[in-house]
Amino acid sequence: PHGRRAAHVKRGGRLGGVPWAAIASERAVWAIVINQFAFGWGFYVLINWLPTYFAQWNIDISQVGYFAIVPYVVQGVLGTAVGFVADYLIRRTRSVLLVRHLAQLTGLVVPAALLLVAAFLVHDATLGVVVMTGVLGLTSCTAAGHSVLQHDIAPRHAAVIYAAGNVIGTVPGIVGVYASGYLLKVSGGNWALPFGVAAAIYVVGAVAWLALARTNVMIL
């Protein structure tokens, strides 16, 4: 994109027209997969447990939905805007990788910190909404990170890479949701445990991204 030339071109044995070996051996693909898992952990944990988080302040059950939905509305709006901002920054900086790094780190590291704030420093529903809106709103920045890197490195096979990563990204929908519920149960409702785990996974994803993501390769 944007006239970028790949420094490395990768080809490999094909099955069904897809160079599976080249895809599986590319470190940037693993950056995508790991980060889809990290993003998925936070996404599924919060979408399942956020109403319970707000219910701890004895909000009327008919009002819990309003508190829980606000962060997702903001996430949707910002997720749309992020694409335009990313394209603008790429034109200005002429560095696709720099913008991908900025987007992914903003979308994981800052929400990780805010999850800890939500666990330790939030003591009322109003502040909880503000913090959780920050968490979910900023995770939408990853729409310009791991969600599009496959188009940078393998435009012909972007759908295959995204689909493979998305399979891994849905695992937290089972494991993460159950684990978070278990941690809440054994801790007597201590949100520091499930939120701490989610924050740690976000950070691991960010580190993996910095170590593995690149845009100077093209899988053909």
Side-chain angles (χ1 to χ4, degrees), residues 5 9 12 26 30 35-36 39 43 50 55-56 60 71 81 83 125 138 141 163-164 166-168 171 191 200 205 209:
R5 291 185 178 182
V9 176
E26 171 51 43
W30 287 102
N35 276 265
Q36 281 189 299
F39 173 86
F43 176 81
L50 207 53
Q56 69 180 311
D60 186 282
L138 289 172
C141 291
N166 202 43
V167 170
I168 304 301
V171 171
W191 289 96
W209 181 266

Side-chain angles (χ1 to χ4, degrees), residues 15-137:
L15 179 62
V18 178
W20 293 105
I23 289 173
S25 64
E26 171 51 43
R27 74 185 207 197
V29 171
W30 287 102
I32 294 169
V33 171
I34 292 170
N35 276 265
Q36 281 189 299
F37 179 90
F39 173 86
W41 189 284
F43 176 81
Y44 287 112
V45 166
L46 291 178
I47 202 170
N48 280 276
W49 289 106
L50 207 53
T52 305
Y53 175 72
F54 287 119
Q56 69 180 311
W57 290 296
N58 298 317
I59 302 171
D60 186 282
I61 191 65
S62 64
Q63 301 298 315
V64 170
Y66 295 108
F67 281 88
I69 198 63
V70 169
Y72 290 98
V73 172
V74 174
Q75 184 185 48
V77 173
L78 290 182
T80 301
V82 161
F84 294 102
V85 174
D87 284 346
Y88 170 77
L89 291 176
I90 289 172
R91 289 194 298 268
R92 290 296 302 269
T93 65
R94 304 186 67 80
S95 174
V96 176
L97 183 60
L98 175 62
V99 175
R100 298 288 179 253
H101 279 340
L102 177 63
Q104 194 67 19
L105 295 182
T106 301
L108 291 181
V109 176
V110 181
L114 289 176
L115 280 175
L116 297 181
V117 171
F120 293 103
L121 300 177
V122 173
H123 303 295
D124 64 82
T126 301
L127 183 56
V129 169
V130 172
V131 173
M132 285 302 175
T133 298
V135 171
L136 289 166

